[in-house]
Amino acid sequence: MSLRVIKPGLLTSIQDLGRKGFKQHGVIVSGAMDAHSLRIANMLVGNEEGEAALEITLMGPTIKVEKNCLISITGGNLSPTLDNKVVPMWKPILVKNGSILRFEGCKSGCRAYLTVAGGFAIPEIMESKSTYLRAGIGGYMGRALKAGDVLEFNEPSKNLDDRTFFKGSFSFPKWFVNEKEFMPGGKPHIRFIDGSQYEYFTDSSKDSFVERLFKVSNQSDRMGYRISGPALKLKDNGELLSEAVTNGSVQVPPDGNPIILLSDSQTTGGYPKIAQVITADLPIIAQVKPGESIQFLRVNLKEAERLFLQKERQLNELKVSISLALKKWLDI
Amino acid sequence: MPEKLLKKTACTLSPLGDSAIVITFGNGMEYSVHKKIKLLKDLLEDEPFAGFIECVPAYTNLTVFYDPLVIYKEQNKSNGNETTSPFEMVRSILEMKLQDLKEDKKLIHRTVTIPVCYGNEYGPDLEYVARYNDLTTDEVIHIHSIGEYLAYMIGFAPGFPFLGGLSENIATPRRSSPRMTIPAGAVGIAGMQTGVYPISTPGGWQLIGQTPTKLFLPNVNPPSLLQAGDIVKFHPITDQEYKEMILKEGVQ
C-alpha cells in the first residue's frame, strides 16, 4: 500500500497541523501553510482533519499509485492529471492501482495538498508527522521527497480492493467543495491586527502599510515571506530584546522590508512587529506566489476573533456534510 | 490595544494575534523579571486552563499560546449567554493567576555543566576573541569557564539557550561576515552573549569551542537539554576527552 515518487517536484513534504507545545524548547511549529485546504482534503477522504498530507509547491511531483486508494487534492491548482486525464480537485477520487499522478503546472495558488484515505504510515515525532526541514526530523526521513521514495499508507476504514473502474483509472462523485470560499481569487487582501510594536512605527509608515501594495519577493519560503514596498521606519531606533513570535507575525528588520513569519518560522525574534496577520487569513498568504502583491487591511482583535470563529463554524458544517455525502457515495 | 496595568504584580497584558497573549513584567534583562516569568510559567503548567497550549518565556515577558476555539466552547458551556472574546476570557484567567503569584518564593535553579573543547579546530575564533580583548587564549578560556550563566530563554533554533552573565572582559562583537554553516555543538560569543548551537545553521557568532553534548534531543521529552531558568556552566575538556565523549554520545 504505497505511493511511489517518480519525480519529487520543486518542494514536496509531509505536513499535518504542526507541533504544538514545543516552542518553549525552540522547536518550530511546522505544519501545512494552508491549514484549511489540508483539513478539507482530509475530510474528503474520511480522515481525521489533522492527518498528514503531501504539501506540494508550485511544480508538483510525479507519483505512481501502487494500490487502489481514495485520494483528494485541494489548495492551489497545480493541474493534477491521472494517466494524462485531468483530475478534479476538491473531491474524493478513487484511484486504480498502477495509475500515474502528475502535476502539469501552476494555474492558480501556490500550494496543493494531497491526502490519502487511512493516512500516511509515518511515525510521529513530538506529536506530529510534519517535516521539520532545517532540523532534519519528522515527515519522510526529515526531508523533502526525492525520486524513489516510497510512501506507505495505512489501511483505510473502507476496503477499496473490489472497486471496478468502468472507464479510465479513476472515479469521483458529482458533488464537490466550493473552493471559492477557501481560495478567493483576485488581489489577495490580508487582514491584520496591530503588532506588539505597532506604536514604534512612524505615522507615515503605518499609513503606507495599509495604503500601498507589498510585493512578495523571491526569497520567500515556508519560514516566511519577505515583502517589499515603501520602507517602514521606526520613530526611534531602540533595541528590542528577543521574544516569542508566531505564525503571521510581521517583523520589520532594519532595512525596512517586512517579513511575514509563516509555518517554519523561528520561535523567537528580536525585530519589531508592526502587524499580526489574523489566523483566518494565513491560508490566503500560503497561496500567494513570489512576484504577486498583497494588500493589508487593518482590523481589531474582536473582528479577528469573529472571523476565526466564523471560519471554524464553516469548516465544521462542511465536515458534517462531506461525511454524509462520502458515506453515501462509497456505499454505492 | 487592550492593555491593563495590574496592581499586585506590575505587568501588562497584550495580544499577540488572536491566539496568544503576552504578559510583560519589565523592560530589561533582570533577574527579578525572570523570576516573575518563571513563577507564572510554573503556575500555568501546574494547573493548565482548558485551551492552554503552552507558554514561551523571553527576557522580559511570557507569551501564552491558547486555542481560541476551545476557549470559546468552554465559555459557552459555563455561562451560555453573553459571549466575550477568547482573548478577554484568557486575560481574566491570567489576572486571577497573577493574584496567586508568590513573588517572595525563591526559584530553584538546576545547574547543567557543558563540557567544551576550546580553541584550535574546535574554536576557530578563540584567538580573535583573545586579541580583541587583549588577553591570552588561556585567559579567555579561564574567564569563559568560571562563569555561571542563566538561561533566560530557549529560541532561535531548537534547544538554543539565550544565556546571560558573560564577563565584559571577553565580550566580542559578531563576525563581520557570518559563516554559511556552523556545526552543531559550536560554542560562541556575540557581544555580551554566549551560547551553543544545537543544530547546524548559518550564523555570525565568534566560535571559541565545541561541545560533544547534544542540546537538541528530538526523541526525548522535553526535546531541549536546557530549559529557561537553568544555570549553565562550561567545563574545559581536552581533545582526547572530546573524542571519547563523542564516541559515547554516538555520532554527532
Side-chain angles (χ1 to χ4, degrees):
Chain A
M1 278 198 297
S2 55
L3 302 181
R4 183 177 295 273
V5 180
I6 313 282
K7 277 191 209 159
L10 183 65
L11 175 67
T12 307
S13 69
I14 298 267
Q15 300 293 343
D16 56 17
L17 293 175
R19 307 196 153 78
K20 303 223 163 83
F22 297 93
K23 280 170 96 129
Q24 57 174 306
H25 307 298
V27 175
I28 67 171
V29 177
S30 309
M33 292 276 279
D34 176 354
H36 294 161
S37 290
L38 173 114
R39 288 163 71 184
I40 296 168
N42 275 317
M43 293 174 194
L44 286 167
V45 296
N47 286 350
E48 290 289 326
E49 268 177 64
E51 186 52 70
L54 289 187
E55 182 180 270
I56 299 164
T57 320
L58 288 168
M59 282 155 41
T62 300
I63 288 170
K64 187 173 183 213
V65 175
E66 299 194 319
K67 161 132 182 149
N68 285 3
C69 60
L70 180 66
I71 67 163
S72 175
I73 304 166
T74 62
N77 186 347
L78 310 184
S79 316
T81 62
L82 267 166
D83 290 344
N84 301 315
K85 289 196 190 78
V86 173
V87 189
M89 294 177 61
W90 304 91
K91 278 180 188 240
I93 314 277
L94 266 171
V95 187
K96 197 175 168 180
N97 180 7
S99 315
I100 302 284
L101 174 67
R102 281 196 183 85
F103 293 83
E104 312 285 353
C106 181
K107 268 195 195 145
S108 66
C110 185
R111 295 178 169 86
Y113 294 85
L114 168 71
T115 52
V116 57
F120 291 106
I122 277 174
E124 289 193 347
I125 185 157
M126 288 176 265
E127 299 165 25
S128 164
K129 293 180 183 174
S130 286
T131 316
Y132 181 172
L133 295 166
R134 172 144 279 175
I137 59 164
Y140 188 87
M141 299 173 80
R143 58 165 171 77
L145 297 186
K146 284 184 187 167
D149 288 350
V150 177
L151 301 166
E152 301 286 337
F153 52 87
N154 298 311
E155 187 81 47
S157 50
K158 268 226 175 308
N159 190 315
L160 304 169
D161 290 343
D162 56 352
R163 298 283 158 168
T164 45
F165 297 85
F166 296 107
K167 42 180 181 175
S169 50
F170 61 102
S171 63
F172 49 84
K174 285 203 185 79
W175 54 269
F176 58 92
V177 171
N178 182 7
E179 63 170 281
K180 293 221 164 49
E181 306 208 22
F182 298 96
M183 300 280 296
K187 189 153 301 298
H189 284 83
I190 307 296
R191 288 166 290 194
F192 71 95
I193 68 167
D194 296 351
S196 304
Q197 288 80 31
Y198 182 74
E199 290 305 333
Y200 288 23
F201 289 86
T202 61
D203 287 344
S204 71
S205 294
K206 287 189 261 190
D207 289 344
S208 23
F209 191 65
V210 289
E211 283 163 5
R212 305 274 294 274
L213 291 176
F214 285 83
K215 192 175 163 189
V216 176
S217 88
N218 287 326
Q219 298 154 328
S220 296
D221 56 18
R222 287 179 42 85
M223 275 176 82
Y225 275 21
R226 285 171 185 274
I227 53 175
S228 59
L232 303 177
K233 293 193 179 75
L234 295 168
K235 286 181 201 155
D236 312 293
N237 283 325
E239 277 265 300
L240 181 71
L241 288 169
S242 283
E243 59 182 26
V245 293
T246 189
N247 206 341
S249 293
V250 184
Q251 288 191 331
V252 183
D255 70 3
N257 289 317
I259 304 170
I260 311 172
L261 298 177
L262 296 166
S263 299
D264 281 356
S265 111
Q266 292 178 7
T267 56
T268 59
Y271 295 132
K273 296 174 279 298
I274 190 168
Q276 179 68 42
V277 175
I278 69 170
T279 302
D281 284 356
L282 289 170
I284 298 177
I285 296 187
Q287 297 298 352
V288 178
K289 283 184 276 290
E292 291 179 341
S293 294
I294 55 177
Q295 168 85 60
F296 286 105
L297 282 175
R298 188 179 177 208
V299 297
N300 62 27
L301 176 60
K302 275 249 155 60
E303 179 68 356
E305 291 181 319
R306 192 187 64 77
L307 291 164
F308 168 81
L309 293 168
Q310 187 187 51
K311 229 1 159 215
E312 288 302 314
R313 257 192 300 273
Q314 203 182 351
L315 284 161
N316 199 42
E317 281 162 17
L318 197 58
K319 187 168 153 181
V320 174
S321 40
I322 288 175
S323 158
L324 287 172
L326 185 64
K327 223 171 149 215
K328 214 170 134 197
W329 178 61
L330 286 178
D331 282 342
I332 287 168
Chain B
M1 274 301 104
E3 258 188 30
K4 200 164 144 192
L5 208 62
L6 286 182
K7 281 198 195 81
K8 191 176 171 280
T9 298
C11 62
T12 58
L13 289 86
S14 56
L16 173 67
D18 48 35
S19 315
I21 180 166
V22 187
I23 307 112
T24 304
F25 292 98
N27 46 28
M29 206 193 288
E30 279 169 44
Y31 185 77
S32 61
V33 172
H34 165 76
K35 185 176 165 183
K36 287 175 199 162
I37 291 168
K38 187 70 171 57
L39 289 172
L40 180 60
K41 180 175 188 279
D42 290 348
L43 207 58
L44 288 168
E45 287 173 350
D46 288 349
E47 295 166 39
F49 56 88
F52 171 82
I53 297 174
E54 69 167 318
C55 47
V56 180
Y59 288 114
T60 62
N61 57 35
L62 184 71
T63 303
V64 177
F65 289 87
Y66 59 86
D67 182 337
L69 189 62
V70 177
I71 307 277
Y72 177 79
K73 285 181 179 162
E74 276 298 306
Q75 101 195 46
N76 277 17
K77 229 192 284 169
S78 55
N79 59 32
N81 39 37
E82 186 82 13
T83 57
T84 50
S85 82
F87 172 79
E88 295 297 338
M89 182 75 180
V90 175
R91 178 158 76 177
S92 62
I93 294 171
L94 290 173
E95 282 172 355
M96 278 190 312
K97 294 271 182 196
L98 284 160
Q99 301 295 325
D100 295 341
L101 212 64
K102 296 188 177 54
E103 284 185 44
D104 47 353
K105 200 171 150 185
K106 262 194 124 171
L107 287 184
I108 298 162
H109 297 281
R110 185 175 67 141
T111 299
V112 180
T113 301
I114 294 178
V116 183
C117 188
Y118 288 96
N120 301 321
E121 71 265 38
Y122 300 101
D125 301 324
L126 179 66
E127 289 202 11
Y128 178 81
V129 172
R131 263 204 317 277
Y132 184 85
N133 289 291
D134 233 346
L135 297 167
T136 66
T137 52
D138 281 348
E139 284 166 332
V140 173
I141 295 169
H142 178 72
I143 295 168
H144 190 258
S145 59
I146 56 161
E148 288 195 359
Y149 307 92
L150 175 65
Y152 280 93
M153 57 191 280
I154 308 293
F156 166 69
F160 184 95
F162 284 82
L163 300 173
L166 185 74
S167 163
E168 266 178 57
N169 299 331
I170 54 171
T172 312
R174 277 162 221 263
R175 286 168 59 87
S176 48
S177 69
R179 288 187 169 86
M180 289 307 286
T181 55
I182 285 184
V187 178
I189 287 177
M192 287 288 290
Q193 297 185 87
T194 182
V196 188
Y197 283 85
I199 60 171
S200 175
T201 70
W205 288 34
Q206 306 284 355
L207 306 182
I208 59 168
Q210 179 82 23
T211 179
T213 303
K214 288 193 168 96
L215 275 80
F216 175 46
L217 312 156
N219 295 308
V220 177
N221 196 8
S224 173
L225 173 73
L226 300 173
Q227 306 293 315
D230 284 347
I231 299 285
V232 176
K233 289 182 181 178
F234 294 105
H235 168 67
I237 55 170
T238 63
D239 179 57
Q240 182 68 26
E241 286 169 316
Y242 176 87
K243 284 177 179 144
E244 282 165 14
M245 288 168 101
I246 283 285
L247 284 176
K248 242 189 264 169
E249 286 257 351
V251 183
Q252 176 110 13

